[in-house]
């Protein structure tokens, strides 16, 4: 009798994939935004979906996207700023899902000994950041909404993974960056570090994207990828400590660092209207900042591939029109 | 199992109800979010107070809602927390928006402020749509929950129905089997018991009608068995009781024989006054045969008994259970009377009466009373003469002639002597009766004794004529002189008293058959043969003479008898009515040992 | 002058008759003595005594009998003397005796009784 019940209620457990494992390269930016990828990779969820995954690390989102568009990677993770740039530049981007959110991700870390104690003190100072990344957009929105004119602050382009050195060496007065760099800097500068931020000012998303053609040709792989991510999210939810340990393996930093900010991150698998709004907003800022040409704000609906996520978790797609 | 399924169903329904509640929460959030959206748009348009206030109110309400609800499913709760987080960001962004508007109005760097405003608005919209997205996701999660639960419910219901069906079938099969088994047991049981085995029990524990029937049957069998057993028991009891009866009767007989043999009368009356037991003596006392008494009531046997004192005492004993003693004079049907000393005791059966025949004693007592009366009377006469005579003498001495004085004195003296005789007789009688009579033997000359007696009598009875007849020589006799004198004196006295004045009284003594023979003859009225027999009996007041009586008790003669017999002699009378009487006694010459007499 | 009271005394005991006679004479009465009931009745008729002193124990007719017969023709006072004691009193009185004196007795009592029962006569 009991057996019969199980048969009737037992929902869709995963079917074993009949196809052979496909080699898949994922371009990852090592940060807490990539935790679901690391967990899926480490726990074998990707291989369960028939994906033989190869992880490649890039220092920043633009670099990861570069790898994707040049064909070196099949999947890439990036924050919304580089994605907005890619869309503005007309790259063949297809975002398949937002995998992580944090509205306190990016911060300005300043040197107290440069006379900086608050955001107003940034006037006339040199702030190092990686152009084209969320750090750039964050600084802009942070200054503006703090009624400090961005024109009063000098930005210096520093590669994302070099900001720590730059500030420590004093090449700049402050930097705009994200975890784990923010944590490392606080450690290294100690009392000399001033952390400036405005929670809620900028909600950074990390999303996974593929190329348009890839999306058209590999719907199953995308579904497999997304299913693995969903499993990861469940795992992260249920075993946060283990997830942290796994992350540390791949990011080469002490897992204790992550514990401090872990709860600020939301690990999801969704496609929201807010993503579009976010991308649009940044696109507009980029276009406006450009001298000369007046490019139009791209229609981001064209840069979203919702079918994969819809098939795997219908309720996760809330973009009207998709 | 049905219980488990039932519980499962209950929980499923609960889950569905909860989920529907959650759904409502989600709807509320989405509504609030839409409102926030509208308010932002409205505010940004005209920067007016109303949209701002409404925005803040709605934001707060959503904030408190998300803080309040609890989604048991972790995944769902995370989304809610997420929404709450966004909600707070939304508030701070909006407030920043409002403050930037105020700055614009204060005329600061307009371009910067406008851009700030634009950025803030942009972010605000992003946040709000984020919340919307989350809410939508939450909704779908809840819906999923409902759907899956509903599916579970359907499954459970089907399971329940199947269980019921299967159970019913099984119950039916079991019942059928049980009925068949019961019937078989019942049939077998009746056969076995019918064949005579009363110890067999069907022993069906089933609670149905067959079981009841079986149990009734068993009950009946049990009763039959008990009755058979009790019949055997009864027979056994009868045997035992017979044995007990025999033992009892043996015991009764023992008591009976004890009571039967008693000299006293024993009788037992039942509470209904029937004679239950009468021993021989009692029957004799009642002057009835035992058989006449047993089983009949006292009233039947002795009509009129109810009016007697005896009956009263018996009644009292019956009623109050008290013991009584009494002396009862019982009048027999033939008129005769008897005196009985009775002891009446209550016994369990009724009343026990012990009777002692005291008729003789009573008559003896009566005679003794009479004797005493007689004696005191006897003494009074001489006393009267003595006292009266002396009194008169004293009172009237001067008036009296010498003759009269003499005669009074003389009379007093003689009567005093008479008193002495009487007292003497009494004393002797007392001694003789109590065995204290001691003879003082000596040599006695009968002639002298005769002389003495006659002289005395002559003085007492001057009008009588006393003659002594003696042989020339009379041997001496070894006897108590004083006692012999008394004997003679009494006889002479009697002779004088019972013969007319002037008639001779002859006293003689002689030997005969080796014994002294002494006699006193008078010419009185004589004594009839019947009277003669009673002459020497104690207390007999003999009315000698023709009619009526004169004084004199049998005292004198009785004393004579005692004294004579103490000597070993005999005393008798020869008499005929109208021809006078001759009293004679003998005295052996030599002492004869008599156990009654103590010799000195 | 009234004649002296006549007392008839009946008793079978001579000794009693003697002293009674002497006593009564000494007390001023005229006395006649008899020794039997028969004689008593005869003298009661002929001598006409005023009072009879009667002993109960007598040969022939005893005192009771004598009394009974006397009463059939005479109401003269009768004093009963008896050695039988007080138990004889009721019967005596019942038969008609006027007084009862038990032996032994004080002769003065007898005199007093006679005196009482013969009031009309005076004694010297």
């Amino acid at each position: 009798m009991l057996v019969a019940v199980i048969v009737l209620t037992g929902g869709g457990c995963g079917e074993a994939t009949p196809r052979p494992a496909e080699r898949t390269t994922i371009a990852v930016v090592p940060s807490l935004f990539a935790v679901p990828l690391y967990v899926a990779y480490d726990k074998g969820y990707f291989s369960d979906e028939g994906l033989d995954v190869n992880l490649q690390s890039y220092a920043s989102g633009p670099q990861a996207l570069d790898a994707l568009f040049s064909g070196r990677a099949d999947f890439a993770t990036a924050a919304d700023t580089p994605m907005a740039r890619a869309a503005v530049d007309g790259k063949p981007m297809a975002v398949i899902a937002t995998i992580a959110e944090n509205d306190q991700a990016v911060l300005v870390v300043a040197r107290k000994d440069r006379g900086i104690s608050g955001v107003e003190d940034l006037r006339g100072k040199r702030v190092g950041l990686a152009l084209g990344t969320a750090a750039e957009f964050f600084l802009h929105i942070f200054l503006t909404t703090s009624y400090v004119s961005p024109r009063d602050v000098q930005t210096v382009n520093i590669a994302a993974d070099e900001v720590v050195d730059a500030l420590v060496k004093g090449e700049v007065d402050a930097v705009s960056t994200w975890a784990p760099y923010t944590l490392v800097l606080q450690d290294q500068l100690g009392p000399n570090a001033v952390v400036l931020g405005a929670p809620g000012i900028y909600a950074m998303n990390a999303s996974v994207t593929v190329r348009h053609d890839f999306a058209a040709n590999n719907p199953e792989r995308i579904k497999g990828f997304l299913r693995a991510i969903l499993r990861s999210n469940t795992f992260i939810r249920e075993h946060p400590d283990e997830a942290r340990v796994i992350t540390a393996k791949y990011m080469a930093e002490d897992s204790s660092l992550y514990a401090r900010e872990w709860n600020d991150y939301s690990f999801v698998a969704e496609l929201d209207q807010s993503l579009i709004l976010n991308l649009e907003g940044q696109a507009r800022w980029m276009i406006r900042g450009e001298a000369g040409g007046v490019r139009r704000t791209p229609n981001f609906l064209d840069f979203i591939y919702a079918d994969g996520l819809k098939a795997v978790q219908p309720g996760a797609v809330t973009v009207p029109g998709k | 199992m049905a219980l488990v399924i039932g519980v499962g169903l209950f929980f499923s329904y609960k889950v569905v109800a909860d989920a529907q509640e959650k759904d409502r929460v989600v709807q509320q959030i989405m509504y609030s979010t839409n409102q926030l959206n509208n308010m932002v748009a409205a505010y940004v348009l005209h920067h007016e107070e109303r949209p701002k206030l409404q925005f803040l109110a709605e934001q707060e309400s959503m904030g408190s809602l998300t803080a309040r609800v609890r989604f048991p499913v972790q995944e769902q709760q995370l989304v809610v927390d997420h929404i709450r987080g966004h909600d707070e960001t939304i508030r701070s962004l909006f407030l920043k928006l409002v403050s930037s508007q105020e700055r614009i109005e204060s005329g600061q760097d307009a371009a910067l402020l406008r851009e700030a405003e634009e950025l803030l608005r942009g972010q605000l919209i992003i946040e709000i749509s984020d919340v919307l997205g989350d809410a939508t996701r939450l909704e779908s999660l809840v819906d999923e929950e409902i759907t899956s639960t509903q599916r579970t419910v359907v499954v459970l219901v089907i399971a329940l129905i199947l269980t019921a069906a299967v159970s019913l079938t099984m119950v039916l099969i079991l019942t059928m089997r049980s009925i068949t088994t019961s019937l078989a047991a019942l049939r077998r049981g009746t056969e076995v018991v019918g064949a005579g085995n009363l110890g067999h029990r069907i022993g069906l524990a089933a609670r149905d009608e067959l079981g009841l029937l079986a149990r009734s049957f068993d009950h009946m069998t049990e009763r039959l068995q008990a009755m058979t057993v009790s019949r055997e028991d009864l027979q056994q009891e009868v045997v035992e009781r017979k044995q007990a009866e025999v033992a009892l009767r043996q015991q009764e007989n023992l008591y009976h024989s004890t009571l039967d043999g008693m000299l006293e009368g024993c009788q037992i009356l039942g509470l209904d006054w029937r004679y239950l037991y009468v021993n021989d003596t009692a029957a004799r006392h009642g002057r009835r045969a035992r058989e006449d008494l047993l089983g009949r009531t006292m009233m039947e046997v002795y009509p009129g008994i109810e009016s007697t004192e005896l009956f009263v005492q018996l009644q009292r004993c019956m009623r109050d259970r008290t013991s009584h003693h009494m002396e009862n004079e019982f009048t027999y049907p033939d008129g005769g009377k008897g005196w009985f000393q009775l002891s009446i005791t209550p016994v369990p059966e009724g009343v026990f009466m012990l009777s002692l025949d005291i008729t003789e004693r009573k008559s003896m007592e009566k005679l003794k009373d009479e004797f005493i009366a007689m004696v005191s009377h006897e003494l009074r006469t001489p006393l009267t003469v003595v006292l009266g005579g002396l009194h008169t003498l004293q009172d009237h001495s001067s008036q009296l002639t010498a003759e009269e004085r003499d005669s009074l004195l003389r009379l007093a003296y003689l009567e005093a002597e008479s008193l002495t005789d009487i007292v003497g007789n009494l004393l002797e009688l007392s001694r003789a009766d109590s065995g204290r009579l001691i003879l003082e033997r000596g040599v006695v000359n009968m002639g002298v004794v005769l002389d003495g007696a006659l002289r005395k009598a002559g003085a007492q009875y001057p009008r009588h004529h006393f003659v002594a007849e003696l042989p020339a020589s009379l041997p001496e006799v070894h006897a108590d002189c004083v006692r012999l004198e008394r004997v003679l004196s009494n006889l002479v006295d009697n002779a004088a008293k019972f013969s007319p004045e002037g008639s001779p009284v002859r006293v003689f003594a002689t030997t005969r058959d080796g014994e002294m023979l002494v006699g006193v003859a008078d010419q009185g009225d004589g004594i009839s043969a019947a009277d003669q027999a009673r002459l020497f009996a104690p207390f007999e007041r003999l009315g000698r003479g023709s009619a009526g009586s004169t004084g004199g008790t049998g005292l004198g003669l009785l004393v004579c008898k005692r004294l004579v017999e103490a000597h070993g002699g005999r005393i008798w009378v020869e008499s005929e009515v109208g021809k006078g009487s001759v009293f004679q006694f003998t005295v052996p010459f030599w002492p004869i040992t008599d156990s009654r007499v103590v010799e000195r | 002058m009234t004649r002296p009271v006549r007392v008839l005394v009946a008793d079978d005991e001579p000794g009693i008759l003697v002293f009674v006679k002497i006593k009564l004479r000494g007390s001023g009465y005229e006395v006649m003595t008899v020794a039997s009931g028969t004689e008593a009745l005869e003298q009661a008729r002929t001598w006409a005594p005023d009072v009879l002193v009667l002993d109960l124990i007598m040969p022939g007719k005893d005192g009771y009998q004598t009394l009974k017969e006397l009463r059939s023709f005479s109401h003269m006072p009768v004093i009963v003397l008896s050695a039988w004691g007080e138990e004889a009193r009721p019967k005596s009185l019942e038969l008609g005796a006027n007084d009862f004196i038990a032996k032994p007795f004080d002769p003065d009592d007898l005199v007093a009784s006679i005196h009482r029962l013969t009031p009309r006569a005076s004694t010297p």
Side-chain angles (χ1 to χ4, degrees):
Chain A
M1 190 79 83
L2 226 51
V3 173
V5 170
I6 291 168
V7 164
L8 286 170
T9 53
C13 290
E15 315 121 26
T17 43
R19 292 177 311 183
E22 290 182 72
R23 186 117 184 112
T24 306
T25 308
I26 304 178
V28 185
V29 177
S31 68
L32 289 180
F33 288 106
V35 170
L37 290 167
Y38 291 131
V39 170
Y41 179 72
D42 196 70
K43 299 296 285 183
Y45 298 152
F46 287 132
S47 40
D48 287 347
E49 299 297 332
L51 303 170
D52 179 14
V53 166
N54 172 30
L55 286 179
Q56 289 176 351
S57 299
Y58 296 91
S60 63
Q63 288 168 0
L65 285 177
D66 207 35
L68 178 73
F69 296 131
S70 65
R72 290 199 301 278
D74 302 308
F75 294 82
T77 65
D80 32 61
T81 314
M83 282 188 178
R85 168 61 63 190
V88 164
D89 291 343
K91 293 282 171 33
M93 184 178 74
V95 178
I96 64 171
T98 306
I99 61 167
E101 293 174 352
N102 188 348
D103 63 359
Q104 301 183 66
V106 188
L107 300 164
V108 168
V109 182
R111 292 178 66 112
K112 216 187 251 177
D113 58 359
R114 295 292 164 88
I116 302 168
S117 55
V119 64
E120 296 85 8
D121 303 327
L122 289 173
R123 283 198 182 96
K125 299 291 193 293
R126 290 158 52 88
V127 180
L129 50 81
L131 287 174
T133 65
E136 191 190 351
F137 181 73
F138 173 72
L139 185 65
H140 176 81
I141 194 169
F142 181 43
L143 290 172
T144 311
T145 55
S146 307
Y147 314 115
V148 174
S149 176
R151 283 194 295 268
D152 295 345
V153 178
Q154 193 181 358
T155 52
V156 176
N157 188 17
I158 302 177
D161 52 356
E162 287 168 12
V163 291
V164 172
D165 265 349
L167 189 65
V168 168
K169 285 190 187 141
E171 292 164 16
V172 287
D173 303 315
V175 293
S176 170
T177 187
W178 51 80
Y181 306 119
T182 47
L183 301 161
V184 172
L185 279 171
Q186 279 172 77
D187 267 351
Q188 290 200 9
L189 288 175
N192 196 20
V194 174
V195 178
L196 302 171
I201 279 293
Y202 169 59
M204 181 171 150
N205 293 341
S207 307
V208 176
T209 181
V210 298
R211 292 183 304 278
H212 263 145
D213 58 304
F214 183 89
N217 297 327
N218 298 281
E220 294 310 315
R221 266 214 271 183
I222 291 170
K223 285 185 206 160
F225 178 90
L226 289 170
R227 278 197 287 269
I229 295 297
L230 284 169
R231 285 176 74 184
S232 278
N233 289 343
T234 309
F235 182 85
I236 293 162
R237 193 168 62 240
E238 289 169 6
H239 307 97
D241 294 324
E242 253 190 83
R244 279 197 283 272
V245 169
I246 292 168
T247 309
K249 271 184 4 194
Y250 298 95
M251 284 179 53
E253 294 287 348
D254 194 346
S255 67
S256 62
L257 278 176
Y258 313 135
R260 274 193 281 184
E261 294 187 2
W262 190 268
N263 290 328
D264 296 334
Y265 287 81
S266 301
F267 298 107
V268 294
E270 60 193 30
L271 284 172
D272 257 2
Q273 178 76 345
S274 61
L275 173 69
I276 297 197
L277 293 170
N278 204 346
L279 290 169
E280 272 180 10
Q282 297 200 37
R284 275 190 217 110
W285 162 67
M286 286 169 194
I287 292 166
R288 212 176 304 144
E290 282 176 349
V294 180
R295 283 198 274 190
R296 296 188 64 97
T297 315
N299 178 5
F300 279 93
L301 289 174
D302 296 335
F303 295 93
I304 308 277
Y305 178 75
D307 293 344
L309 189 56
K310 259 207 277 205
V312 168
Q313 187 151 356
V317 179
T318 54
V319 178
K322 277 286 181 185
Chain B
M1 181 141 77
L3 195 68
V4 169
I5 290 171
V7 168
L9 269 173
F10 172 74
F11 274 114
S12 302
Y13 273 112
K14 191 163 184 304
V15 168
V16 168
D18 286 346
Q20 281 168 344
E21 177 62 38
K22 285 189 264 186
D23 202 49
R24 273 194 289 279
V25 168
V26 170
Q27 297 301 322
Q28 181 61 40
I29 292 170
M30 285 167 78
Y31 170 81
S32 293
T33 314
N34 277 326
Q35 288 303 318
L36 289 173
N37 220 6
N38 296 339
M39 293 313 136
V40 167
Y43 179 75
V44 165
L45 204 55
H46 298 295
H47 304 289
E48 282 164 348
E49 201 62 13
R50 191 267 310 162
K52 174 175 114 187
L53 291 172
Q54 278 188 325
F55 179 93
L56 288 171
E58 197 63 47
Q59 181 274 328
E60 264 180 47
S61 128
M62 191 166 87
S64 65
L65 175 64
T66 51
R68 200 173 60 239
V69 298
R70 272 282 132 241
F71 282 68
V73 180
Q74 188 198 22
E75 200 180 340
Q76 294 167 5
Q77 184 59 38
L78 274 176
V79 174
V80 172
D81 292 338
H82 206 218
I83 292 170
R84 192 163 80 250
H86 281 308
D87 186 65
E88 281 163 20
T89 310
I90 287 167
R91 182 190 180 82
S92 68
L93 283 173
F94 185 78
L95 289 171
K96 249 201 152 84
L97 184 70
V98 169
S99 80
S100 74
Q101 174 58 26
E102 283 158 10
R103 279 194 191 231
I104 289 173
E105 283 160 11
S106 68
Q108 290 179 31
D109 188 350
L112 181 65
L113 287 169
R114 265 201 299 280
E115 201 193 338
E117 194 196 47
E118 199 187 312
L119 282 168
L120 285 168
R121 195 177 69 235
Q123 291 305 110
L124 197 51
I125 301 296
I126 290 168
E127 285 291 317
I128 290 170
S129 77
D130 223 341
V131 170
L132 205 55
D134 282 341
T136 312
R137 244 184 314 285
L138 186 62
E139 190 187 40
S140 70
L141 280 175
V142 168
D143 279 344
E144 230 176 76
E145 200 186 336
I146 291 174
T147 315
S148 80
T149 310
Q150 281 173 341
R151 237 185 307 165
T152 314
V153 166
V154 167
V155 166
L156 286 176
V157 167
I158 292 170
L160 190 66
I161 292 168
L162 278 173
T163 317
V166 169
S167 309
L168 209 62
T169 317
M170 279 170 59
V171 165
L172 211 61
I173 293 168
L174 283 170
T175 312
M176 285 311 300
R177 223 157 11 121
S178 130
I179 290 174
T180 320
T181 318
S182 299
L183 280 171
L186 210 57
R187 187 169 52 85
R188 193 175 49 246
T190 51
E191 278 170 10
V192 170
V193 172
N197 179 4
L198 287 181
H200 177 79
R201 301 276 178 277
I202 298 170
L204 266 186
R207 303 190 76 78
D208 58 5
E209 283 76 10
L210 286 174
L212 281 171
L213 180 63
R215 279 193 289 286
S216 299
F217 189 81
D218 281 344
H219 189 55
M220 177 197 77
T221 316
E222 212 175 289
R223 293 264 294 284
L224 273 173
Q225 204 180 29
M227 280 203 309
T228 317
V229 166
S230 73
R231 187 153 46 88
E232 287 160 7
D233 283 347
L234 207 65
Q235 284 167 351
Q236 176 67 15
E237 215 180 283
V238 167
V239 166
E240 278 174 13
R241 194 167 300 174
K242 282 233 165 68
Q243 287 174 347
E245 261 181 35
V246 167
L248 191 69
R249 200 149 324 128
Q250 280 174 350
Q251 236 188 7
E252 261 182 22
N253 289 342
L254 183 67
Y255 295 140
H256 274 187
S257 58
T258 308
L259 289 179
D260 280 350
M262 277 170 71
L263 292 175
E264 293 85 350
C266 300
Q267 49 190 295
I268 300 177
L269 288 168
L271 293 164
D272 58 355
W273 295 93
R274 280 185 199 281
Y275 285 98
L276 297 177
Y277 170 77
V278 180
N279 74 351
D280 287 330
T281 314
R284 215 177 33 247
H285 286 174
R287 304 250 180 105
R288 286 294 164 97
R290 271 172 100 159
E291 304 72 46
D292 284 345
L293 295 168
L294 289 172
R296 293 168 69 192
T297 67
M298 198 183 213
M299 294 72 120
E300 273 176 64
V301 178
Y302 302 104
I305 191 100
E306 296 92 326
S307 55
T308 61
E309 178 61 25
L310 167 63
F311 189 78
V312 170
Q313 295 294 341
L314 283 169
Q315 223 177 16
R316 211 171 282 166
C317 177
M318 290 261 198
R319 196 181 57 221
D320 305 331
R321 310 313 280 165
T322 47
S323 297
H324 305 281
H325 291 275
M326 63 181 292
E327 286 180 359
N328 184 50
E329 194 184 9
F330 197 71
T331 309
Y332 298 111
D334 60 3
K337 295 190 185 195
W339 275 96
F340 296 94
Q341 183 164 40
L342 302 171
S343 186
I344 299 168
T345 322
V347 289
E349 301 81 24
V351 170
F352 175 83
M353 186 157 73
L354 189 76
S355 50
L356 210 58
D357 194 336
I358 53 167
T359 315
E360 209 180 291
R361 196 184 83 194
K362 273 294 188 195
S363 69
M364 281 300 228
E365 277 171 16
K366 189 168 150 202
L367 286 171
K368 194 171 71 172
D369 289 338
E370 283 178 358
F371 175 72
I372 288 170
M374 209 56 52
V375 165
S376 63
H377 161 257
E378 209 32 36
L379 292 171
R380 284 197 195 112
T381 307
L383 271 173
T384 311
V385 177
V386 170
L387 288 169
L390 290 174
H391 177 93
T392 307
L393 192 63
Q394 195 180 28
D395 274 0
H396 301 272
S397 97
S398 54
Q399 297 162 305
L400 295 172
T401 63
E403 225 179 285
E404 284 169 336
R405 270 202 293 273
D406 267 345
S407 90
L408 282 175
L409 281 166
R410 187 169 47 82
L411 275 169
Y413 181 76
L414 286 171
E415 288 301 318
E417 271 195 340
S418 182
L419 273 170
T420 314
D421 284 339
I422 294 168
V423 170
N425 274 332
L426 282 168
L427 283 169
E428 291 287 66
L429 186 63
S430 166
R431 285 195 200 105
D433 276 348
S434 63
R436 287 182 289 122
L437 185 62
I438 302 166
L439 293 180
E440 298 237 17
R441 284 189 193 269
V443 173
V444 177
N445 185 331
M446 234 27 236
V448 171
V449 172
L450 257 66
D451 270 342
L454 284 181
R455 213 174 324 115
K456 185 163 158 232
Q460 271 189 311
Y461 300 94
R463 298 240 174 76
H464 284 78
H465 186 52
F466 296 100
V467 177
E469 277 178 20
L470 282 164
S473 72
L474 202 58
E476 290 163 341
V477 70
H478 256 269
D480 189 325
C481 182
V482 173
R483 263 71 189 243
L484 286 180
E485 259 187 46
R486 180 173 294 283
V487 171
L488 205 52
S489 181
N490 283 348
L491 289 175
V492 168
D493 208 66
N494 274 358
K497 261 205 239 151
F498 290 106
S499 62
E501 287 183 4
S503 68
V505 172
R506 187 173 60 90
V507 179
F508 60 88
T510 183
T511 54
R512 192 165 77 183
D513 299 331
E515 293 177 313
M516 174 75 70
L517 174 69
V518 181
V520 175
D522 69 62
Q523 287 176 4
D525 294 330
I527 306 162
S528 67
D531 290 341
Q532 278 177 40
R534 295 193 344 235
L535 212 54
F536 296 98
F539 315 130
E540 234 7 281
R541 185 166 152 267
L542 190 59
R544 276 177 29 171
S546 45
S549 57
T550 55
T553 59
L555 181 64
L557 287 175
L558 185 58
V559 172
C560 290
K561 186 167 174 354
R562 291 277 183 271
L563 293 176
V564 163
E565 282 171 2
H567 281 89
R570 293 175 345 268
I571 183 165
W572 68 95
V573 65
E574 287 165 12
S575 176
E576 254 183 72
V577 176
K579 296 240 177 91
S581 324
V582 181
F583 283 86
Q584 294 175 77
F585 67 91
T586 62
V587 182
F589 283 108
W590 293 101
I592 295 173
T593 319
D594 192 320
S595 60
R596 287 178 302 169
V597 176
V598 176
E599 295 282 332
R600 206 193 291 259
Chain C
M1 180 168 116
T2 52
R3 64 175 172 90
V5 175
R6 284 187 181 174
V7 183
L8 178 63
V9 184
D11 197 319
D12 69 334
E13 189 65 40
I16 290 175
L17 289 175
V18 167
F19 86 82
V20 166
K21 187 171 187 176
I22 292 171
K23 176 69 183 179
L24 290 177
R25 275 231 182 98
S27 304
Y29 295 101
E30 207 175 308
V31 184
M32 178 179 292
T33 60
V34 294
S36 72
T38 319
E39 278 180 71
L41 285 167
E42 199 184 303
Q43 289 304 326
R45 282 192 179 92
T46 56
W47 192 54
D50 296 303
V51 62
L52 172 63
V53 177
L54 181 63
D55 180 30
L56 285 178
I57 306 163
M58 286 186 295
K61 284 201 181 90
D62 68 4
Y64 289 130
Q65 188 67 26
T66 310
L67 182 54
K68 231 163 124 179
E69 279 187 34
L70 179 72
R71 278 287 172 255
S72 69
F73 65 84
S74 169
H75 294 288
M76 77 167 75
V78 175
I79 300 166
V80 164
L81 285 176
S82 180
W84 274 349
E86 286 299 314
E87 52 268 28
R89 181 191 280 266
K91 189 167 181 191
S92 314
L93 296 177
E94 202 182 318
L95 285 173
N98 298 81
D99 202 357
F100 180 92
I101 298 175
K103 294 179 187 175
F105 61 90
D106 187 339
D108 287 332
D109 289 340
L110 178 61
V111 168
S113 182
I114 291 167
H115 183 75
R116 199 177 60 247
L117 289 168
T118 55
R120 65 163 182 87
S122 64
T123 52

